[in-house]
Amino acid sequence: MGALSPAIIPALLAAPRTARADQALLTSVSYAKRRRIRRRIQVRAEAAKQATINFSDLDWKSKYQSDFEARFRIPHITDVIPDAASYPSTFCLKMRSPISSEFSEGYPSDEAWHGYINNDDRVLLKVIRFSSPTSAGAECIDPNCSWIEQWVHRAGPREKIYFKPEEVKAAIVTCGGLCPGLNDVIRQIVITLEIYGVKKIVGIPFGYRGFSDTSLAEMPLSRKVVQNIHLSGGSLLGVSRGGPTVIDIVESMEERGINMIFVLGGNGTHAGANAIHEECRKSGLKIAVVGVPKTIDNDILLMDKTFGFDTAVEEAQRAINSAYIEAHSAYRGIGIVKLMGRSSGFIAMQASLASGQIDICLIPEVKFNLHGPHGVLNHLKYLLERKGSAVVCVAEGAGQDLLQKTNATDASGNIVLGDIGVHIQQEVKKFFKEMGQPADVKYIDPTYMIRACRANASDGILCTVLGQNAVHGAFAGYSGITVGICNTHYAYFPIPEVIAQPKVLDPNSRMWHRCLTSTGQPDFI
């Protein structure tokens, strides 16, 4: 589909729209317009939300909380099969007995064991009570910035389960691009499934594609198979983008006898998982669909962080340090490092903060100019005069408005970005050449080195707990959910709430202000 006429876009934005229509609009325009439209859609959504709240109603807070609880209620097997039987959990780490032929009776249930999570346990979504909308990073519901408690479901093992382990065939699929920690999550899902007593565990090769490509056989998984896979990067199962239709996937799952599926991926992959969940509900199938958010960009809503992010920030230090050494060792040296971050600059920001060697950090959420008296190039000139060298860190999605537009998309429907790193490198060389001043420019792009490495210790722990809780959620009968860390606690979220839009860095947040303090950079506008 070609780009829409500029005259049509304002009319489309002004008209009442559905989420599906908004998404159709976003995928039909160029990247720069897409970013502007997404922001306007977000603003419109917030305005619409406030418009539906009658703040003169003395009971508006409780009504808002009721609406929030309804939105964040996590789907359960009993929604589709009201008479679905429950069984005593086979997961109990206090009393271990040999597994009998009836797995659901194999581990004696110990109701006095305090390792189970109550279904009514909740995690507080937001912990800061802002006193004013003008406070840094404030997220206010009403003009007075009233405090309203918002709770999400706590993750963990339940006392009652809704699947007999001997009847379970569980599948794991990894989609999208590579990410540190994929093997860690796969490994822990398999181990936890076996602790519950599951014997049939398979991996679907190369993402959703593995459901339709007859040349790709499912991979039997066991603790023996996955024991050491976390010592390597990548994915044991392979990854790919795109795939067959939702109906084809569900039909394939039925044919294979799969009744639990664990989907590891980002926003697009989770949208697919939610569609699979909805199709299963519509067909009345007892299938648990559980997601584990995977993105080094850390751009999933409502979560503290996603696995792979810490490793990406740590690995980025190597590239930044190399750029610093190159720049610092050269006469009037400039080092430029491009890091991942399509729509959010979390990696660039955190890597800049961690290194202490960055003079300029450029992210997608903050517009900047290269040229002009307040542009990046003029500041580089100042840095060379003041301290003899400079290091620039730029996120891949930053400054796309400065590049030639493209309507090309990848298999996941993502706009193919222009190379902002190369563009800045060329503009810097051209700028100093035209001024007749020397500048030794070195450009480093560590993109695929960062995402292909194994998870570090921090991400290894995160992946382990996410994998465990994904299995706990599936056995508890939940479906159409994803698991994440929220205010240091693990929680279950309904998939639609976390894929509504990518999480972006707030330029008014304290963390971005800290980054600016660290770099000392001005506004480049």
Side-chain angles (χ1 to χ4, degrees):
M1 185 185 293
L4 297 179
S5 164
I8 297 176
I9 293 173
L12 285 170
L13 283 167
R17 305 187 56 76
T18 64
R20 182 175 297 178
D22 281 339
Q23 189 60 39
L25 172 61
L26 286 170
T27 56
S28 65
V29 299
S30 67
Y31 181 82
K33 288 178 183 175
R34 189 177 177 187
R35 280 184 57 201
R36 292 196 297 270
I37 293 171
R38 191 185 297 281
R39 177 57 186 158
R40 290 164 68 182
I41 288 172
Q42 183 180 358
V43 170
R44 187 188 64 220
E46 290 298 318
K49 181 176 71 176
Q50 290 200 8
T52 60
I53 302 175
N54 180 10
F55 294 117
S56 63
D57 184 351
L58 298 179
D59 201 30
W60 74 267
K61 288 186 182 180
S62 62
K63 291 179 180 178
Y64 178 87
Q65 286 178 319
S66 297
D67 177 66
F68 181 89
E69 289 174 9
R71 282 171 46 212
F72 280 81
R73 177 188 176 276
I74 50 181
H76 195 269
I77 293 295
T78 53
D79 298 341
V80 180
I81 310 172
D83 58 349
S86 64
Y87 314 95
S89 178
T90 55
F91 180 88
C92 178
L93 300 181
K94 184 177 180 182
M95 298 179 65
R96 309 297 293 164
S97 299
I99 299 174
S100 70
S101 57
E102 284 292 324
F103 293 116
S104 59
E105 303 298 331
Y107 302 145
S109 176
D110 179 12
E111 296 182 4
W113 182 55
H114 297 300
Y116 295 121
I117 299 296
N118 191 292
N119 286 334
D120 294 326
D121 284 357
R122 298 290 186 270
V123 175
L124 192 59
L125 183 62
K126 297 176 182 177
V127 296
I128 298 178
R129 180 172 184 168
F130 294 102
S131 63
S132 167
T134 60
S135 184
E139 297 177 9
C140 301
I141 296 169
D142 70 325
N144 295 323
C145 223
S146 299
W147 169 255
I148 298 180
E149 294 179 352
Q150 300 173 52
W151 303 93
V152 292
H153 292 248
R154 186 182 175 199
R158 267 55 174 178
E159 189 177 330
K160 300 294 183 182
I161 59 176
Y162 285 80
F163 291 88
K164 286 188 174 183
E166 71 271 21
E167 297 175 356
V168 169
K169 182 178 181 181
I172 306 171
V173 59
T174 56
C175 306
L178 291 180
C179 177
L182 279 171
N183 282 334
D184 300 64
V185 178
I186 293 169
R187 177 179 183 271
Q188 202 58 46
I189 289 175
V190 171
I191 290 173
T192 309
L193 283 168
E194 287 196 350
I195 289 175
Y196 269 95
V198 177
K199 292 295 185 182
K200 292 176 286 186
I201 310 170
V202 298
I204 305 299
F206 298 105
Y208 290 134
R209 185 186 305 274
F211 282 109
S212 61
D213 192 331
T214 55
S215 67
L216 300 174
E218 61 186 29
M219 180 186 300
L221 298 175
S222 65
R223 180 159 193 155
K224 183 177 180 180
V225 173
V226 303
Q227 183 63 43
N228 295 315
I229 63 172
H230 63 301
L231 303 179
S232 303
S235 169
L236 172 71
L237 306 177
V239 295
S240 72
R241 301 185 186 276
T245 65
V246 172
I247 293 176
D248 289 340
I249 292 174
V250 174
E251 288 179 352
S252 176
M253 289 169 59
E254 279 192 277
E255 292 172 3
R256 299 166 188 248
I258 294 170
N259 53 6
M260 268 188 200
I261 181 167
F262 301 94
V263 182
L264 284 57
N267 278 312
T269 301
H270 271 66
N274 192 61
I276 293 170
H277 158 72
E278 292 294 344
E279 183 64 27
C280 291
R281 284 170 64 95
K282 188 170 71 174
S283 304
L285 301 175
K286 187 181 177 183
I287 297 178
V289 182
V290 178
V292 181
K294 174 231 67 174
T295 165
I296 66 172
D297 289 354
N298 197 36
D299 61 352
I300 303 292
L301 287 174
L302 308 176
M303 300 183 186
D304 293 359
K305 64 179 177 180
T306 51
F307 76 83
F309 175 68
D310 275 355
T311 305
V313 171
E314 184 174 308
E315 286 297 312
Q317 302 305 299
R318 301 173 187 268
I320 291 174
N321 190 51
S322 296
Y324 172 79
I325 291 173
E326 286 285 353
H328 191 66
S329 302
Y331 175 63
R332 291 172 61 88
I334 298 174
I336 302 171
V337 179
K338 186 183 78 171
L339 300 176
M340 280 188 150
R342 291 184 58 86
S343 57
S344 59
F346 290 105
I347 294 179
M349 177 185 70
Q350 297 278 44
S352 297
L353 272 168
S355 72
Q357 297 172 317
I358 297 297
D359 298 292
I360 298 174
C361 179
L362 304 174
I363 60 174
E365 295 88 343
V366 178
K367 182 178 174 61
F368 63 90
N369 293 322
L370 286 178
H371 301 277
H374 304 294
V376 171
L377 299 176
N378 204 50
H379 188 59
L380 281 174
K381 176 175 175 289
Y382 164 77
L383 289 170
L384 292 186
E385 292 170 351
R386 179 170 174 262
K387 64 191 199 72
S389 64
V391 184
V392 179
C393 178
V394 57
E396 62 177 329
Q400 292 297 307
D401 56 317
L402 306 176
L403 305 175
Q404 185 175 357
K405 306 298 184 295
T406 173
N407 290 322
T409 59
D410 62 21
S412 295
N414 299 313
I415 298 292
V416 176
L417 301 179
D419 196 328
I420 185 64
V422 170
H423 179 72
I424 291 176
Q425 177 195 29
Q426 293 172 344
E427 290 299 306
V428 169
K429 288 182 176 180
K430 180 180 175 183
F431 174 77
F432 284 102
K433 183 178 181 180
E434 290 177 349
M435 291 185 63
Q437 296 183 4
D440 192 341
V441 185
K442 298 294 192 300
Y443 174 55
I444 298 175
D445 180 356
T447 297
Y448 294 103
M449 294 173 64
I450 286 176
R451 74 176 199 173
C453 63
R454 62 172 288 192
N456 65 7
S458 174
D459 272 327
I461 295 170
L462 177 59
C463 292
T464 295
V465 183
L466 290 176
Q468 291 177 2
N469 281 319
V471 176
H472 294 322
F475 264 102
Y478 297 121
S479 181
I481 65 168
T482 191
V483 59
I485 188 168
C486 176
N487 289 322
T488 73
H489 295 278
Y490 292 86
Y492 295 132
F493 303 86
I495 291 177
E497 292 298 328
V498 301
I499 64 170
Q501 62 196 41
K503 180 176 74 174
V504 294
L505 195 157
D506 180 5
N508 191 43
S509 68
R510 288 293 300 123
M511 193 58 76
W512 178 243
H513 292 173
R514 292 169 185 137
C515 185
L516 295 180
T517 302
S518 173
T519 63
Q521 69 191 65
D523 293 333
F524 298 116
I525 54 175

